[in-house]
Amino acid sequence: MPSSSNTTVISRCTVYPGKESSTIKTLKLSVSDLPMLSCQYIQKGVLLTYPPYSINDLIKLLKNSLSAALSHFPALAGRLQTDPTGHVHIVCNDAGVDFIQAKARHLSIHTILSPTHVPECFKGFFAMDKTLSYSGHSKPLMAVQVTELKDGIFIGCSVNHAVTDGTSFWNFFNTFAETCKGSKKISKSPDFSRNTMFNSPAVLKCPPGGPKATFSDDEPLRERIFHFSRDAILKLKLRANNSNFMSNSAEIFGKQSNDIWKIVNGESNGNNGLSNGKVPSLFFESRKTAEISSFQSLCAQLWISVTRARKLSPSKMTTFRMAVNCRHRLEPRLDPYYFGNAIQSIPTVALAGELLSNDLSFGADLLHKNVVSHGDVTVRKGIADWEKEPRLFPLGNFDGASITMGSSPRFPMYDNDFGWGRPVAVRSGRANKFDGKISAFPGRDGNGSVDLEVVLSPDTMTGLENDDEFMQYVSGMV
């Protein structure tokens, strides 16, 4: 299998914003940013076919485009600074970002995409390896590595996680591609406002020299991309909602539910006591609210199958932790392109025995209720709780029974057309990976398909791959 040591660095330089940061001088880290200081830099990248020009021309084009994109995202070219009161800021001082040119010409697109498990070579396509976000006090907040393959190009971005979440990360990546394609005006301008609920006087006290990683990064792991077509996910959604909706509708409507179902199914000749023989709009509104989403259904199946593969005791409490975007959950809403972290982690728990002895709707309904209830009040409560006890985010699987879901199939990863076509694939580096870490990507074919990047211990991965209930929904190699 191709290893990460097969990548050769050709050159390294600093790229600066094309325009000086005259309007934004500093940005204070928020209650959503600060916990990420102990997380490693986000590492995500796109695999592209070889461009229709030389590698030298490509490198020049990408440097110029990166410089232009940084003019719109001056924070990424800055550095972190802790003031005398203990508050951490991004100083927009135009110190620049790292740009690395590398080569691995012995590797082809087919070579690195065909193995069942994600090969080690992808780890060599990113800079800032194992770098904690606190290091942004002295190191660049971003590094871009461009690796030339036999018949393709991999562009990997490593970005400080205390500075961006996935939404901000992919907005920058899209802007980088947009400028490379020749656009003079960007389509999604970042919002750098800091007058939000996430802005707080609370101080997070870090140990001298900065925090340590909260998980071990030397444990043996297997990583695989599982692809789920739209049809497969719809089947999961139907399974999750079938018994769940039947029980909920009876609970909500009582005696009327039977008459409503008769009308819905065309079995009624009369109005059954309902106005004009029509189903009340409340019925459809409740159905929409109560409906478990496609993604929640997929997550529930993963939760069940990983728990089964781990062979846990029935009395063991399991946790499915999901990161959610809070921009649209607050009232008033944040700008969709608010720059920074605006995420919270929602833990959903269930005993292993309960999860495995019930049908899919049991776990799916637990996830659904937690996500739906995470509105303005819950977000504000989470902020208030953190302010009372400022702390770093505990990334990892401390009890051997946890799953952490990150990223999102809604992120525009395949919109990164640098001028010669959409990405062939999206991959990540070594950062923030441990047993039970899952990342959700949109499928390349779109249309509601999803790729799950699953990281598990070797034994658990083998168990998952032998789980017929899970694997029946997985389609072709990615």
Side-chain angles (χ1 to χ4, degrees), residues 332-451:
R333 294 184 172 198
L334 298 185
D335 187 288
Y337 301 110
Y338 165 83
F339 182 86
N341 287 276
I343 53 176
Q344 287 182 340
S345 180
I346 304 178
T348 302
V349 298
L351 294 173
E354 286 185 323
L355 198 60
L356 298 181
S357 62
N358 284 283
D359 58 21
L360 180 65
S361 64
F362 174 79
D365 193 46
L366 291 176
L367 293 171
H368 170 73
K369 286 177 177 175
N370 256 356
V371 172
V372 169
S373 65
H374 204 84
D376 180 70
V377 173
T378 314
V379 173
R380 290 173 186 269
K381 183 180 184 301
I383 293 171
D385 289 347
W386 189 90
E387 288 177 318
K388 291 175 188 173
E389 187 187 351
R391 55 203 178 276
L392 296 163
F393 184 71
L395 196 62
N397 178 11
F398 305 103
D399 60 0
S402 297
I403 293 173
T404 299
M405 174 65 74
S407 201
S408 170
R410 295 182 178 179
F411 289 157
M413 303 180 188
Y414 285 96
D415 290 355
N416 290 296
D417 183 345
F418 283 78
W420 62 94
R422 296 170 65 242
V424 176
V426 175
R427 290 292 185 269
S428 63
R430 191 195 315 267
N432 302 312
K433 287 181 177 174
F434 48 87
D435 174 28
K437 175 64 188 297
I438 318 295
S439 295
F441 302 159
R444 189 182 189 276
D445 45 339
N447 197 32
S449 62
V450 174
D451 291 339

Side-chain angles (χ1 to χ4, degrees), residues 3-12 50 55-56 59 100-108 121 124-126 145-154:
S3 74
S4 57
S5 61
N6 290 331
T7 301
T8 303
V9 172
I10 297 173
S11 65
R12 185 187 302 267
Y50 208 92
I55 187 65
N56 290 336
I59 295 300
I100 299 99
Q101 179 185 354
K103 65 178 181 179
R105 293 178 187 146
H106 59 292
L107 298 177
S108 68
C121 65
F125 297 166
F126 295 90
Q145 180 172 319
V146 181
T147 305
E148 180 188 12
L149 309 178
K150 179 181 180 180
D151 56 355
I153 296 290
F154 192 91

Side-chain angles (χ1 to χ4, degrees), residues 42 44-46 164-176 407-408 411-414 416 426-427 441:
I42 299 172
K44 296 286 193 299
V46 295
T164 69
D165 60 8
T167 299
S168 295
F169 177 94
W170 288 109
N171 188 24
F172 172 77
F173 216 132
N174 289 167
T175 302
F176 180 21
S407 201
S408 170
F411 289 157
M413 303 180 188
Y414 285 96
N416 290 296
V426 175
R427 290 292 185 269
F441 302 159

Side-chain angles (χ1 to χ4, degrees), residues 34 41 60 77 89 99 109 121-122 163 210 224 238 272 284 286 318 325 333 341-342 374 392 401-402 405 434 469:
L34 290 167
Y41 277 48
K60 183 178 179 180
H89 302 259
F99 185 94
I109 290 175
C121 65
F122 282 102
V163 174
R224 179 170 173 177
L238 185 63
N272 298 286
F284 292 108
S286 325
T318 70
N325 182 2
R333 294 184 172 198
N341 287 276
H374 204 84
L392 296 163
S402 297
M405 174 65 74
F434 48 87
E469 185 181 22

Side-chain angles (χ1 to χ4, degrees), residues 202-239:
V203 173
L204 173 64
K205 295 181 180 178
C206 290
K212 305 296 183 185
T214 58
F215 64 94
S216 170
D217 56 10
D218 57 3
E219 58 184 358
L221 298 170
R222 294 288 182 273
E223 181 179 338
R224 179 170 173 177
I225 308 289
F226 293 96
H227 179 70
F228 300 87
S229 68
R230 178 177 181 272
D231 287 345
I233 294 173
L234 287 178
K235 288 177 183 176
L236 278 165
K237 182 178 180 180
L238 185 63
R239 268 185 62 206

